[in-house]
Amino acid sequence: MKLVRGPRPLAIRVFAAAFLAAAVLRLVRGLSDLALSETIFAVNVPWFAWDRDWTIVALSAEFTIALIPLAWIYLFAAPFARWLVLGFGALRLAMLDPAALVGPLLVAIAMASLLTPQAARWFAREPEEEDGPAVFE
């Protein structure tokens, strides 16, 4: 993948801001109540002995994993990342917890910004010429 140069369209900037805010919110919310987060992980993954340290590791891993498609989209304009985010975002919205609407709302905004005409142009751009084998001769 090659780093994309130039300004990002508004839709991509909105996506990046909303997606990053949702990831940070999930991390902060999880770290602010570690006992609840530990219980949630223990219910979802009962075969693992969860404790405070492993809960922090899991929350940090979730945050880091969320940054990967964000970087793919914002830095490299990778079209497959668009569909990856839309698919996992739709799955997350399907399991909506009515008590926590801010995070899912930010995910919905991020997903909607990926479907705008500006985003379509961003993903359909002509890739710049990359270094080919002739560079190494």
Side-chain angles (χ1 to χ4, degrees):
M1 283 192 259
K2 186 168 176 84
L3 188 66
V4 177
R5 299 175 214 262
R8 276 55 176 161
L10 178 62
I12 298 302
R13 292 191 313 254
V14 167
F15 159 75
F19 199 77
L20 181 61
V24 169
L25 181 65
R26 173 139 171 79
L27 177 66
V28 169
R29 195 170 45 211
L31 291 175
S32 66
D33 192 353
L34 280 173
L36 176 62
S37 297
E38 184 178 335
T39 303
I40 291 170
F41 282 127
V43 167
N44 292 326
V45 186
W47 57 87
F48 187 78
W50 290 97
D51 62 7
R52 181 182 174 94
D53 294 337
W54 281 113
T55 302
I56 293 170
V57 168
L59 289 168
S60 300
E62 283 181 347
F63 177 71
T64 303
I65 290 168
L67 295 180
I68 294 170
L70 176 64
W72 282 342
I73 289 171
Y74 192 80
L75 298 176
F76 303 110
F80 70 89
R82 172 193 206 178
W83 298 110
L84 182 76
V85 168
L86 290 171
F88 279 106
L91 181 65
R92 184 171 173 194
L93 290 176
M95 299 182 296
L96 184 63
D97 177 12
L101 291 177
V102 175
L105 179 63
L106 290 171
V107 170
I109 291 170
M111 290 171 40
S113 70
L114 288 179
L115 297 174
T116 63
Q118 288 178 331
R121 285 190 299 274
W122 172 256
F123 289 108
R125 78 192 181 2
E126 289 296 320
E128 295 178 12
E129 189 174 321
E130 295 186 22
D131 294 337
V135 172
F136 299 103
E137 292 177 0

